[in-house]
Amino acid sequence: MLWLRYEHMFASVSHLQPRPTLDPKLLARVRPVAAASARVLPVAPALESLFGSRGLQRGSTVRITAPRGGGGSTLALTVLSAPSAAGHWCGVVGMADPGVAGMVGLGIDLRRVVFVPAPGTAWASVVGELIDGADMVLLRCDQQVAHPIARNLVAKARDRQVTLVIVTSTPQQWPLPSDVELSISDATWSGVDGGYGHFVSRRATVSASGRRGAVREHIAALWLPSSDGAVAAADW
Amino acid sequence: MDRLVAVCSPELTEEGSRGEELRSFAAVLHGLGELCPWVEPIKLGLAVFPVRGPSRLLGGDHAVVAAVAMAMSAVQPAVVVQIGVAPGLFAAQLAARRGVVVAEQDLMEFLAPWPISVLGRPELASVLPRLGLRTLGQFAELHHREVFSRFGADAAVCLQVAQGKVGELSGLRDPSIGRRLRSLTARVSPLPNQPTFLGGMGLADERLHAVARRLQAQLGAESVMVGYDHGGRSPIDQASLVPFGSHPVPTNSTAPWPGKLPSPSPMTVFCDARAVELLGESGLPVVVDGSGLLNAAPVACALNGGSRRVVINWAGPWPLVEQWWETLHHRARLQLLIEPATAVLVAFEENSWWLEAVYD
């Protein structure tokens, strides 16, 4: 109590002291980075050739098509990496056994990602709930989605300005056209040879198309991932 | 034959949909680990450890049983635990059902009144009673050679078990239990909030917390998870999911792990056991031999009961020398590149291959 009174007494002096300098890293972390009014979400540098450097429109839909085990998870989680690192909340629905160490390698901030690994038949309502709380929702769908359910989710995401990322193995599983369509082809792994070496990197071709100017018509070669675990642009 | 303490919890043997049984069983094992370092999980709800050391330390078998009961009531007060001591795994798990301590010389007497069905062999359980043999005691009076020629090698092993000459019977152990327990590395405590940056909560954080808690109320606490990086050698050890709102065990993930799998890490890591069939050139199964090498180059594989696919290339095997003092089995890991261009990680354990991860 006594200390408080003294503090009060010297209040006029204290403002003359220089303000303590904060660690820039700490400042970057406490700053309200995820301003809800921001119209775009950041994208990872490796994906700039697909999305442009402007970023990813809030409220848009991204559909990623890749055969199972063909890099769909890597590409989809890379889309989440920059927003999560910038402090946006992300939800991941239906990815039953996510490799958390791999996600760290992609640059995802795990503190900003919530998983609903096995939503079962309630998946659509789980996605709907997460659209209420997160800035980006990733949905892995392995079966045919009914047209009205897809339409409802897309409409709700657009209304709440939440970006929806859908990962499918065939384009027919998600019945609506998306703002951004990414598909992976020609994946090749390097590094293993007759018992020697280990998986080092996967090179794949990603083609992007879309509507409403959300994306450039573009075909890019990417390391999915490169040897350090992150996704990077590859030379042709 | 070593005398074993069997600790069995009938409530935990049936697996529910949310995995709480596995978590409770892990807590039971942890509690037993405080008493004896040699605790071995046999299957969900059943664990054994040798009685000799603890018995000498605590002063008798009954003192060990009392200590186990006390430890269990401290760890899992809600779970009913049965404890028994007998020579060999088969007799020990039966002794746990009765809650008795069986001495070496009383083994035959203890086994004799049990019905044939406890052997877990439906064909023997239907044939032998029709021949007038209803109990293990009556079965044990047969001759080994005759049982072998009439019913085959497996029945002959059953006879030796009934005679108290052999302690182990195939089918008692669940080969996947060790892998599943290792995948459970998180401790759950009911904390209301997921701690965020500097412990503070913004508006967006509060919105997400409300949604996550609503989902947990609907679908169960383990339905909404967050990722947690522990550090470790295998992808399963390295990182796992913990329920949203729980406090994970803090470890330093930047610590070096010699023998860790090289980067990049797989994007899909399976916690449950998925069997893999791996075949060589001649169509024979590929195994890891005593020197840690493959007996043949892998040519085809079938993942988790699926169709056969061609193996394009592979790397490894890398022997696993973790906890070599506990297990006599050869364990190793192998990376496979299978058609069309899928990269997977498989592990050799308990003489079979298991799918560990996919580089999706």
Side-chain angles (χ1 to χ4, degrees):
Chain A
M1 281 301 106
L2 192 67
W3 176 81
L4 263 183
R5 224 172 291 147
Y6 275 115
E7 182 73 10
H8 183 69
M9 233 168 88
F10 294 121
S12 57
V13 190
S14 64
H15 80 273
L16 293 176
Q17 287 173 355
R19 290 176 65 181
T21 50
L22 286 175
D23 180 12
K25 267 194 194 155
L26 182 67
L27 271 178
R29 193 171 280 186
V30 294
R31 197 181 300 141
V33 278
S37 59
R39 301 285 300 156
V40 291
L41 293 171
V43 294
L47 301 184
E48 274 178 13
S49 63
L50 297 171
F51 291 102
S53 54
R54 214 154 39 93
L56 186 55
Q57 280 288 327
R58 278 171 163 270
S60 63
T61 335
V62 180
R63 176 167 64 179
I64 295 171
T65 311
R68 283 196 76 85
S73 300
T74 306
L75 186 58
L77 291 165
T78 307
V79 175
L80 257 65
S81 64
S84 72
H88 295 282
W89 279 102
C90 304
V92 177
V93 181
M95 216 172 250
D97 302 276
V100 180
M103 288 184 198
V104 175
L106 289 178
I108 284 180
D109 188 336
L110 290 176
R111 293 169 301 183
R112 288 289 174 176
V113 183
V114 294
F115 297 88
V116 184
T121 50
W123 67 269
S125 71
V126 170
V127 172
E129 290 270 11
L130 281 173
I131 287 174
D132 281 333
D135 298 306
M136 189 177 249
V137 178
L138 190 158
L139 167 67
R140 160 113 232 171
C141 54
D142 286 318
Q143 75 270 48
Q144 179 68 38
V145 175
H147 201 277
I149 295 176
R151 205 172 45 217
N152 278 348
L153 291 176
V154 168
K156 185 169 185 186
R158 192 178 302 134
D159 181 50
R160 303 286 150 88
Q161 293 288 291
V162 170
T163 303
L164 204 55
V165 181
I166 296 133
V167 192
T168 61
S169 40
T170 60
Q172 291 80 31
Q173 284 172 338
W174 182 259
L176 294 180
S178 318
D179 299 315
V180 182
E181 304 269 359
L182 301 178
S183 68
I184 304 175
S185 54
D186 303 330
T188 47
W189 275 100
S190 58
V192 296
D193 185 22
Y196 295 97
H198 64 85
F199 288 130
V200 172
S201 57
R202 168 171 47 196
R203 197 195 148 96
T205 309
V206 179
S207 58
S209 61
R211 53 178 188 178
R212 284 197 276 144
V215 69
R216 307 194 319 212
E217 296 281 336
H218 193 74
I219 296 177
L222 292 181
W223 294 113
L224 265 179
S226 65
S227 58
D228 62 355
V231 170
D235 300 327
W236 278 102
Chain B
M1 218 188 309
D2 268 352
R3 294 179 68 227
L4 301 171
V5 182
V7 181
C8 178
S9 167
E11 294 162 44
L12 300 183
T13 51
E14 289 296 314
E15 179 117 52
S17 58
R18 286 184 195 158
E20 291 130 338
E21 290 78 12
L22 192 63
R23 252 172 225 288
S24 307
F25 185 51
V28 166
L29 288 175
H30 185 77
L32 291 176
E34 310 265 303
L35 281 173
C36 173
W38 313 107
V39 179
E40 197 184 353
I42 302 298
K43 60 183 181 191
L44 196 60
L46 176 66
V48 298
F49 61 90
V51 74
R52 204 167 60 123
S55 173
R56 207 179 290 170
L57 179 73
L58 299 169
D61 299 345
H62 289 280
V64 176
V65 171
V68 170
M70 191 125 89
M72 287 301 100
S73 63
V75 178
Q76 292 274 324
V79 174
V80 176
V81 178
Q82 302 168 333
I83 307 156
V85 182
L89 177 59
F90 178 74
Q93 50 111 11
L94 291 181
R97 288 198 212 169
R98 287 278 154 82
V100 292
V101 175
V102 181
E104 191 94 53
Q105 64 272 17
D106 301 334
L107 179 59
M108 287 285 285
E109 202 182 316
F110 169 70
L111 289 176
W114 288 90
I116 299 293
S117 60
V118 294
L119 289 168
R121 298 290 186 274
E123 61 282 14
L124 287 182
S126 77
V127 170
L128 293 177
R130 278 187 262 154
L131 299 173
L133 306 173
R134 294 180 189 285
T135 62
L136 290 187
Q138 290 166 335
F139 181 43
E141 286 167 17
L142 299 183
H143 286 291
H144 181 261
R145 204 171 16 160
E146 277 139 25
V147 171
F148 188 90
S149 62
R150 212 61 72 79
F151 298 105
D154 184 58
V157 175
C158 289
L159 177 72
Q160 287 179 312
V161 168
Q163 290 169 339
K165 289 177 184 163
V166 170
E168 287 252 356
L169 193 59
S170 66
L172 286 179
R173 289 169 187 269
D174 174 6
S176 66
I177 189 70
R179 305 178 53 74
R180 299 187 54 207
L181 284 166
R182 273 199 298 282
S183 71
L184 267 192
T185 25
R187 194 192 307 157
V188 186
S189 66
L191 259 182
N193 289 331
Q194 177 72 15
T196 55
F197 297 153
L198 303 173
M201 293 270 281
L203 199 64
D205 299 344
E206 269 173 23
R207 219 161 33 125
L208 188 104
H209 278 81
V211 167
R213 254 176 272 138
R214 211 154 54 222
L215 287 176
Q216 282 180 322
Q218 284 168 21
L219 304 170
E222 309 216 343
S223 64
V224 184
M225 312 284 266
V226 289
Y228 183 68
D229 194 2
H230 305 270
R233 283 190 190 86
S234 79
I236 292 179
D237 297 338
Q238 246 168 56
S240 65
L241 294 180
V242 297
F244 185 90
S246 70
H247 245 334
V249 190
T251 51
N252 184 2
S253 66
T254 58
W257 282 91
K260 179 180 150 176
L261 273 177
S263 175
S265 299
M267 283 302 146
T268 307
V269 177
F270 298 108
C271 291
D272 51 347
R274 291 161 187 243
V276 173
E277 193 189 1
L278 192 59
L279 301 172
E281 192 80 63
S282 53
L284 287 172
V286 175
V287 293
V288 177
D289 62 22
S291 51
L293 299 171
L294 299 181
N295 65 338
V299 169
C301 72
L303 305 178
N304 205 19
S307 57
R308 283 212 185 138
R309 289 157 80 180
V310 173
V311 174
I312 304 166
N313 222 326
W314 80 100
W318 299 289
L320 289 169
V321 285
E322 293 164 318
Q323 302 180 348
W324 47 264
W325 57 89
E326 269 195 1
T327 170
L328 295 169
H329 303 290
H330 307 298
R331 296 170 62 205
R333 227 173 239 135
L334 194 64
Q335 283 181 333
L336 297 175
L337 182 58
I338 55 180
E339 266 194 331
T342 311
V344 299
L345 181 71
V346 294
F348 187 74
E349 200 175 326
E350 303 276 349
N351 275 317
S352 43
W353 292 95
W354 305 90
L355 181 60
E356 199 148 81
V358 178
Y359 293 80
D360 187 6

